[in-house]
Amino acid sequence: MPLHFTSEQRLDDGVLERAFTLGEIPGILWTPASAPAPLVLLGHPPLGLHKMYPRLVARARRAAADGFAAATIELPGSGDRPRWAAAEQARANLRQVMEAGEPVSDEIVDALILPLVDKAVPEWQAALDALLSLPEIGGPVGYSGGVISIGVRLAVVEPRIVAAGFFAGSFVPRAIFEEARQVTIPLHVLLQWDDEGNDRQAALALFDAFGSKEKSLHANMGGHTGVPQFAGDAAAQFFTRHLK
Amino acid sequence: MPLHFTSEQRLDDGVLERAFTLGEIPGILWTPASAPAPLVLLGHPPLGLHKMYPRLVARARRAAADGFAAATIELPGSGDRPRWAAAEQARANLRQVMEAGEPVSDEIVDALILPLVDKAVPEWQAALDALLSLPEIGGPVGYSGGVISIGVRLAVVEPRIVAAGFFAGSFVPRAIFEEARQVTIPLHVLLQWDDEGNDRQAALALFDAFGSKEKSLHANMGGHTGVPQFAGDAAAQFFTRHLK
């Protein structure tokens, strides 16, 4: 799929931010002054790039300060991309059981996550094809954050990704636990210990399942969005160790 | 109790290592060139300072490189200190049930750990009194590693300790879990995820119990003595954040 740049701006710290489309998928690429740079793919929850922009650009600036390019693409069914009836239905089902205080069944989790993973992963791989053909992007490639099930699948199927930083979240299908055993790249997993929206035992079990010989779990206090500054520093050091 | 230096040597990196006695308790103090320096107390398992020396001096050199003095004292009943019948009996009981593959009862854990904590903690506090009166030692003070129950008690009762790095180990008496809830200083807890000699669930429960608003758990692979270099770096950064 061809990548077309649609706009560009130079941020105050010298980072070049360019919006692009990859076929019909919108995306953003941030590049530091030093080129060619290793690449960090910035995962994110399915809330739309526009809504996620402030957190994404902060992560991209940090990556650029460490000498990395960073890129992200819109997830299927999010942002300006066409809605998708099955995904909308799955989200509605989830809301319904959560509002009723009922347990979230495996069926609901599977319907919510697995089709998203199946659609998103080939798109991130297509983005990688296009991004790695740019002269300002070298290798190696890391994947960071976002829907952890997408990250797990990418870590299994995409050999160009050599290290991954995950944000432990709940709603991981059983099938993804099985895939986690096949992950062998170095992993850095953040867990917010008192994250109300997160099943801590499931997160610990997923960490345990990863097949990687080098895997680190960093648990911190502060709720879902309260990841402390020093935890971000540690994640950045992880990528510096593995992408440089 | 008066502190007497009994020998000194300058290590090749410029760190001054001095053996001392505090009453009848042997200890070692390492100081960097820069003075006065904050102090990190180096905890250790009850295997004797002589046996632990290679690991202790490595930790002390690292602390000195970060601008910290480091000190340690022999634990009661270890090294050249008088044996102590009840402790010997408790260790023999532990060995017996472990060799028989039986579960380690609360009674055995209590007998093994609580008297050690009761005896050791006032000694570490006396060492602090003496060390902080030296012109080359400033504050603040951190406590690092060793028998985690001693660290927990120290963190509760000793206000001069402002941050602690613990190495998660099993054999924590129920009473220490209760004390853990009273700990409020920043904590950095290392857990070796696949440590055969360690009860992972107990370690996670103890981490959960700590009352501290800032607490981080860093879990890594590699077995009990296989703490990766980067985990040591992260612990050093924790002390740099809190003692400088």
Side-chain angles (χ1 to χ4, degrees):
Chain A
M1 257 188 294
L3 183 151
H4 292 294
F5 290 111
T6 55
S7 73
E8 73 170 64
Q9 64 169 321
R10 183 75 62 176
L11 306 182
D12 52 16
D13 48 9
V15 176
L16 181 63
E17 175 183 292
R18 284 175 286 179
F20 62 81
T21 55
L22 180 79
E24 297 176 32
I25 307 166
I28 313 175
L29 171 64
W30 294 269
T31 43
S34 56
L39 175 66
V40 178
L41 297 174
L42 302 182
H44 50 86
L47 301 171
L49 283 188
H50 185 74
K51 180 160 181 196
M52 291 305 298
Y53 178 81
R55 276 186 268 171
L56 287 165
V57 74
R59 291 163 64 197
R61 282 176 193 266
R62 172 62 199 254
D66 292 333
F68 302 129
T72 192
I73 55 172
E74 189 66 90
L75 291 172
S78 290
D80 296 331
R81 297 189 63 185
R83 290 293 170 271
W84 155 35
E88 298 289 297
Q89 185 60 52
R91 288 192 210 190
N93 291 347
L94 175 68
R95 264 196 306 275
Q96 198 182 344
V97 300
M98 290 187 80
E99 280 164 12
E102 293 166 12
V104 179
S105 69
D106 284 354
E107 289 70 28
I108 287 177
V109 170
D110 287 355
L112 188 74
I113 302 293
L114 291 178
L116 179 66
V117 172
D118 290 341
K119 281 180 196 283
V121 165
E123 294 179 353
W124 286 82
Q125 292 185 286
L128 255 190
D129 293 340
L131 291 163
L132 287 173
S133 71
L134 299 173
E136 58 271 40
I137 310 292
V141 180
Y143 176 87
S144 165
V147 177
I148 193 166
S149 297
I150 293 176
V152 171
R153 172 78 57 83
L154 270 170
V156 172
V157 302
E158 180 46 71
R160 290 172 293 184
I161 295 176
V162 302
F166 292 145
F167 194 94
S170 45
F171 302 142
V172 175
R174 295 306 315 173
I176 299 292
F177 273 78
E178 293 310 310
E179 292 182 41
R181 297 181 204 288
Q182 301 167 43
V183 174
T184 57
I185 59 173
L187 297 181
H188 184 93
V189 182
L190 285 181
L191 169 64
Q192 289 300 93
W193 191 255
D194 55 354
D195 184 345
E196 324 72 36
N198 200 339
D199 179 337
R200 188 194 299 160
Q201 287 312 321
L204 294 170
L206 183 60
F207 177 73
D208 193 46
F210 287 123
S212 305
K213 231 171 96 180
E214 183 190 324
K215 56 180 178 181
S216 301
L217 177 76
H218 284 204
N220 293 289
M221 307 303 287
H224 187 73
T225 56
V227 177
Q229 169 73 39
F230 60 80
D233 292 345
Q237 288 164 2
F238 167 79
F239 283 114
T240 296
R241 277 206 313 283
H242 291 289
L243 302 184
K244 286 213 163 158
Chain B
M1 258 189 291
L3 183 150
H4 292 294
F5 289 110
T6 55
S7 73
E8 73 170 62
Q9 62 168 321
R10 182 76 62 178
L11 306 183
D12 52 16
D13 49 7
V15 176
L16 181 63
E17 176 182 293
R18 283 175 287 178
F20 63 80
T21 56
L22 180 79
E24 298 175 34
I25 306 166
I28 312 174
L29 171 64
W30 294 269
T31 43
S34 56
L39 175 65
V40 178
L41 297 174
L42 302 183
H44 50 86
L47 301 173
L49 282 189
H50 185 73
K51 180 159 180 197
M52 291 304 299
Y53 178 81
R55 276 187 269 172
L56 289 165
V57 74
R59 290 161 66 196
R61 282 175 193 265
R62 173 61 198 255
D66 292 334
F68 302 130
T72 192
I73 54 172
E74 189 65 270
L75 291 173
S78 291
D80 297 330
R81 298 188 62 185
R83 291 293 170 271
W84 153 36
E88 298 290 297
Q89 186 59 52
R91 287 192 212 191
N93 292 346
L94 175 69
R95 263 197 307 275
Q96 198 183 344
V97 300
M98 289 186 80
E99 280 165 12
E102 291 165 14
V104 179
S105 69
D106 284 355
E107 289 69 27
I108 288 178
V109 171
D110 287 356
L112 188 75
I113 303 292
L114 291 178
L116 179 66
V117 173
D118 289 343
K119 283 182 197 279
V121 165
E123 294 179 352
W124 286 83
Q125 292 185 286
L128 254 190
D129 293 342
L131 291 163
L132 288 172
S133 71
L134 300 172
E136 58 271 41
I137 310 292
V141 180
Y143 175 88
S144 165
V147 177
I148 193 166
S149 297
I150 294 176
V152 171
R153 172 78 58 81
L154 270 170
V156 172
V157 302
E158 179 47 71
R160 290 172 293 185
I161 295 176
V162 302
F166 293 144
F167 194 94
S170 45
F171 302 141
V172 176
R174 297 305 314 172
I176 298 291
F177 273 78
E178 293 309 311
E179 293 181 41
R181 297 181 204 287
Q182 302 167 42
V183 174
T184 57
I185 59 173
L187 297 181
H188 184 91
V189 182
L190 284 183
L191 169 63
Q192 288 301 90
W193 191 254
D194 55 355
D195 185 346
E196 325 70 36
N198 198 339
D199 179 338
R200 188 194 299 162
Q201 287 311 320
L204 294 169
L206 182 61
F207 178 74
D208 193 47
F210 287 122
S212 305
K213 232 172 95 181
E214 183 191 326
K215 57 180 177 181
S216 300
L217 177 75
H218 284 205
N220 293 290
M221 307 303 287
H224 188 73
T225 56
V227 177
Q229 169 73 37
F230 60 80
D233 293 344
Q237 288 164 3
F238 166 80
F239 283 114
T240 296
R241 279 207 312 282
H242 290 289
L243 301 185
K244 286 216 162 156

